[in-house]
């Protein structure tokens, strides 16, 4: 019988052969794959899902043996990442070289992962970071690119910095895209970065989120966040804008042109719409957004300042991540096009073909836990003690339960206390693998075989935990002089990824603020 690893390799080899068939078609659409979840799907299951949906590009937030094994031999183009917490250490060239050897050269040659880009940090210039990464990011970028060059990979792989769109803006006295400029506090740094891109041929990577336009301003013209032409257009000289995405993109382009770097290619590193956690976040609205963005990319309509451009876009994201912090907002855990068990939430063509109504293909061979739930026990001795019930709910929410759907405007909001407690207790029960003692809560909970799902509020069954021992360990990094830096080359993923997740969302509201300003100021066609 083949070992689990052999099965993965055999399946990946089959995908590589198939990749040559679909890679020649549409290739500008990709997905972000975050892995902040309690129960990961097996690599072969994810690899099959990517293949079945025609996904040709994947952007990651770290380098992890699990994701690398999944992407091995698939032909899928991959953007790996240097975690923000490693940026300072990457200012030491020996450390940067060791990182490239361990995370790029190794996985390209040993696992045949088709690495295309290295993301150096993730939105490191957010104001919330208080200049923590301001002085180290560009040196880290240069060292990573130099290491790639010396490894003979510099022509094939480019280093880039994924940046939040609050890094540029249009001034209040001329709030139009063509007046775009860099944020004042980092203008000199951004000038140096884009001029460096102009030398290396690397793309400028930007994250754009129209969702936040609606999230932070109830007066924002909602239709302007979408691509179906229902919004009143915005005029900027000879350019006419019908959606905030195009306006935001062209504001960046204006800033690039101001540096004489208007030909620098642009990648949209993240764009998406959550399906829960806010009144503006549900499956129907997300379906509308994704239908528009995928057809736009397929049709290569570009933007008013770059018409007919084939924009490379990475959707955010592949799966829900129920273990993420919700500090930025309850919606943080529901950005997935697929739920954590690989079920698609709405029709979407992820191949880049832009076929409206095309069904996404669900994950196969998913191993679920037993078909049972944990719910509120109305017959419990303390069932009428509301403070005790809420105290147990709070405990569950703080120790593994995903209570996001209970927030205002979300899928489980408006339920009575009994149903709220049932939802929370079950979420905790499933997150902890239905383990012994996980459905007690001072006697307030009980196990049942009855599904308590109601309407959009789903009482999910958890999936069996994937055994990470089935994935090979990464190759050891070579010896360098700075032993402290070398120790950081591996093992940084989870902590830093959580920090990046929290930070990028806290300031994401700034993404469309300038664009919103000129929209709401009245620059609308009659």
């Amino acid at each position: 019988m083949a070992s689990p690893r052999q099965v993965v390799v055999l399946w990946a080899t089959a995908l590589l052969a198939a990749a040559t068939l679909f890679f020649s078609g549409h290739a500008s659409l990709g997905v972000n794959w975050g892995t902040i979840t309690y129960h990961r799907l097996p690599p072969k299951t994810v690899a099959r899902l990517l293949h079945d949906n025609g996904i040709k590009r994947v952007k990651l937030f770290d380098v992890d043996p699990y994701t690398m094994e999944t992407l091995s031999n698939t032909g899928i183009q991959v953007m790996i990442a240097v975690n923000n917490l490693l940026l300072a250490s990457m200012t030491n060239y020996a450390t940067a070289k060791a990182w490239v050897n361990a995370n790029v050269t190794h996985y390209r040659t040993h696992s045949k992962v088709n690495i295309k880009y290295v993301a150096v940090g993730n939105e490191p210039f957010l104001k919330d970071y208080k200049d923590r990464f301001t002085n180290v990011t560009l040196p880290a970028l240069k060292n990573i690119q130099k290491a790639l060059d010396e490894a003979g990979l510099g022509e094939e792989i480019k280093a880039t910095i994924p940046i939040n769109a609050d890094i540029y803006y249009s001034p209040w006295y001329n709030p139009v895209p063509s007046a775009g400029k860099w944020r004042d506090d980092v203008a000199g740094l951004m000038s140096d970065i884009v001029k460096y891109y102009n030398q290396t041929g690397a793309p400028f990577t930007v994250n754009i989120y129209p969702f936040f336009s609606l999230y932070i301003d109830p007066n924002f013209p909602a239709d302007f966040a979408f691509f179906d032409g229902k919004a009143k257009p915005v005029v900027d000289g000879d350019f006419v804008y019908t959606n905030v995405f195009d306006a935001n993109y062209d504001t960046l382009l204006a800033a690039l042109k101001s540096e004489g770097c208007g030909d620098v290619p642009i990648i949209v590193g993240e764009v998406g719409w959550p399906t829960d956690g806010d009144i503006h976040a549900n499956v129907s609205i997300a379906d509308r957004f994704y239908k528009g963005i995928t057809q736009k990319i397929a049709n290569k309509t570009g933007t008013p300042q770059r018409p007919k451009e084939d924009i490379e876009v990475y959707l955010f994201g592949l799966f829900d991540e129920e273990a993420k912090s919700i500090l930025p907002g309850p919606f943080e855990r529901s950005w997935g096009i697929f739920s954590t068990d690989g079920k698609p939430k709405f029709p979407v063509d992820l191949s880049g073909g832009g076929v409206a109504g095309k069904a996404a293909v669900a994950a196969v061979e998913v191993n679920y836990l037993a078909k049972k739930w944990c719910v509120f026990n109305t017959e419990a001795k303390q069932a009428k003690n509301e403070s005790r019930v809420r105290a147990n709910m709070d405990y569950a929410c703080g120790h593994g339960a995903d209570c996001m759907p209970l927030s205002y405007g979300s899928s489980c909001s408006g339920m009575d206390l009994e149903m709220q407690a049932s939802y929370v207790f079950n979420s905790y029960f499933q997150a902890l693998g239905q383990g012994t003692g996980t459905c007690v809560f001072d006697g307030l909970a009980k196990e049942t075989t009855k599904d308590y799902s109601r309407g959009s509020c789903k009482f999910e069954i958890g999936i069996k935990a994937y055994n990470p021992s089935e994935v090979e360990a990464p190759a050891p990094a070579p010896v360098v002089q700075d032993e402290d830096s070398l120790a950081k080359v591996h093992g940084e993923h989870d902590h830093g990824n959580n920090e990046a997740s929290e930070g990028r969302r806290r300031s994401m509201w700034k993404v469309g603020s300038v664009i919103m300003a000129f929209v709401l100021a009245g620059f609308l066609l009659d």
Side-chain angles (χ1 to χ4, degrees):
M1 179 180 294
S3 69
R5 169 163 169 69
Q6 287 174 322
V7 171
V8 172
V9 172
L10 288 172
W11 173 247
T13 301
L15 294 188
L16 179 61
T20 59
L21 296 178
F22 67 77
F23 227 92
S24 59
H26 305 280
S28 299
L29 191 67
V31 295
N32 285 269
W33 180 15
T35 56
I36 307 178
T37 179
Y38 295 118
H39 304 298
R40 293 177 170 182
L41 293 168
K44 67 175 183 177
T45 300
V46 180
R48 173 82 178 268
L49 180 144
L50 295 171
H51 170 265
D52 289 348
N53 286 281
I55 295 170
K56 308 167 190 67
R57 299 174 187 259
V58 169
K59 178 173 169 285
L60 304 170
F61 296 95
D62 54 16
V63 184
D64 184 310
Y66 164 72
T67 53
M68 293 294 97
E69 187 70 19
T70 301
L71 296 166
S72 174
N73 283 295
T74 62
I76 293 172
Q77 290 187 1
V78 181
M79 182 186 294
I80 61 173
V82 178
N83 192 277
N84 281 350
L85 298 182
L86 285 178
L87 292 176
S89 65
M90 293 301 146
T91 61
N92 177 290
Y93 179 66
T95 304
K97 185 175 181 179
W99 190 94
V100 167
N101 182 65
N103 296 289
V104 181
T105 305
H106 168 71
Y107 284 115
R108 275 178 57 94
T109 58
H110 184 74
S111 301
K112 299 297 187 292
V113 179
N114 184 19
I115 298 171
K116 177 71 173 178
Y117 303 108
V118 175
V120 180
N122 186 50
E123 301 182 339
F125 308 133
L126 289 175
K127 288 187 175 181
D128 293 291
Y129 288 145
K130 302 184 185 302
D131 292 326
R132 181 179 179 184
F133 307 114
T134 302
N135 296 323
V136 297
T137 303
L138 179 55
L141 175 76
K142 290 182 176 180
N143 278 344
I144 291 294
Q145 188 63 59
K146 179 181 176 182
L148 291 170
D149 292 342
E150 288 193 358
L153 300 171
E155 291 300 316
E156 301 175 55
I157 304 174
K158 301 298 181 182
T160 179
I161 306 168
I163 291 180
N164 185 283
D166 77 334
I167 206 71
Y168 50 86
Y169 73 104
S170 296
W172 63 267
Y173 53 84
N174 191 22
V176 291
S178 60
K181 57 184 294 188
W182 305 122
R183 200 175 72 203
D184 296 348
D185 60 314
V186 289
L189 175 60
M190 292 308 303
S191 177
D192 291 341
I193 289 173
V194 298
K195 289 176 181 176
Y196 182 69
Y197 287 157
N198 211 31
Q199 296 172 13
T200 64
F204 188 107
T205 302
V206 62
N207 300 337
I208 301 175
Y209 280 93
F211 165 76
F212 285 93
S213 299
L214 285 178
Y215 178 67
I216 63 106
D217 192 338
N219 295 315
F220 181 83
D223 288 335
F224 203 63
F226 302 94
F227 301 88
D228 44 24
K230 295 182 180 181
K232 290 183 178 180
V234 174
V235 177
D236 176 12
D238 294 332
F239 302 119
V240 178
Y241 294 88
T242 59
N243 65 79
V244 71
F245 176 93
D246 285 356
N248 196 302
Y249 188 100
D250 279 0
T251 303
L252 167 60
L253 184 56
L256 290 171
K257 288 179 177 179
S258 71
E259 302 290 349
C261 298
D263 293 330
V264 167
I266 298 173
I267 288 177
V268 178
E270 297 179 27
V271 62
W273 203 280
T275 58
D276 207 351
D278 184 71
I279 193 170
H280 298 297
N282 59 51
V283 170
S284 177
I285 299 176
D287 179 34
R288 178 186 178 189
F289 180 82
Y290 278 108
K291 184 181 297 181
I293 187 70
T294 54
Q295 290 181 347
K296 174 183 179 63
I297 300 308
N299 294 334
K300 299 179 176 56
T301 57
T303 64
Q305 290 190 41
R306 278 188 175 177
K308 298 182 180 180
E309 180 172 353
D310 189 3
I311 304 175
E312 186 172 337
V313 170
Y314 292 81
L315 306 178
F316 189 88
L318 187 59
F319 299 115
D320 283 344
E321 297 175 83
E322 83 283 6
K324 289 177 71 175
S325 167
I326 60 169
L327 182 61
F331 47 81
E332 263 305 287
R333 296 173 175 171
S334 64
W335 289 93
I337 295 169
F338 296 85
S339 54
T340 54
D341 61 353
K343 292 179 181 175
K345 301 177 185 177
F346 44 82
V348 59
D349 183 358
L350 297 173
S351 71
V355 179
K358 181 179 179 180
V361 182
V364 297
E365 298 182 13
V366 178
N367 295 317
Y368 290 91
L369 299 172
K371 197 172 183 179
K372 58 182 179 179
W373 295 263
C374 178
V375 297
F376 181 62
N377 183 4
T378 57
E379 299 178 0
K381 189 175 181 179
Q382 301 185 67
K384 296 185 182 298
N385 186 335
E386 182 174 341
S387 62
R388 181 60 64 89
V389 174
R390 292 197 179 279
N392 277 275
M393 290 172 62
D394 289 343
Y395 175 85
C397 290
H399 292 81
D402 179 11
C403 301
M404 172 273 296
L406 299 179
S407 58
Y408 174 73
S410 301
S411 58
C412 297
S413 62
M415 298 191 301
D416 59 27
L417 182 60
E418 177 182 338
M419 283 295 290
Q420 288 181 36
S422 292
Y423 182 87
V424 170
F425 293 164
N426 182 67
S427 180
Y428 179 89
F429 181 61
Q430 305 297 342
L432 273 68
Q434 300 181 358
T436 302
T438 59
C439 186
V440 179
F441 296 104
D442 286 342
L444 290 167
K446 65 178 182 180
E447 293 185 19
T448 179
T449 56
K450 177 184 176 182
D451 185 354
Y452 274 53
S453 296
R454 181 183 298 175
S456 63
C457 184
K458 305 299 182 183
F459 281 56
E460 302 289 354
I461 296 291
I463 59 177
K464 293 182 179 178
Y466 165 68
N467 182 5
S469 65
E470 296 178 5
V471 178
E472 74 167 312
V479 176
V480 295
Q481 296 300 317
D482 185 350
E483 293 183 358
D484 181 63
S485 296
L486 176 59
K488 299 175 183 177
V489 172
H490 292 297
E492 75 280 3
H493 313 303
D494 292 338
H495 174 73
N497 204 18
N498 272 295
E499 179 189 47
S501 171
E502 293 176 16
R504 76 167 173 265
R505 305 299 174 213
R506 262 175 281 171
S507 289
M508 195 66 75
W509 65 270
K510 302 169 187 172
V511 168
S513 58
V514 176
I515 304 302
M516 286 189 289
F518 78 76
V519 172
L520 299 177
F523 288 87
L524 300 174
L525 283 176
D526 294 331

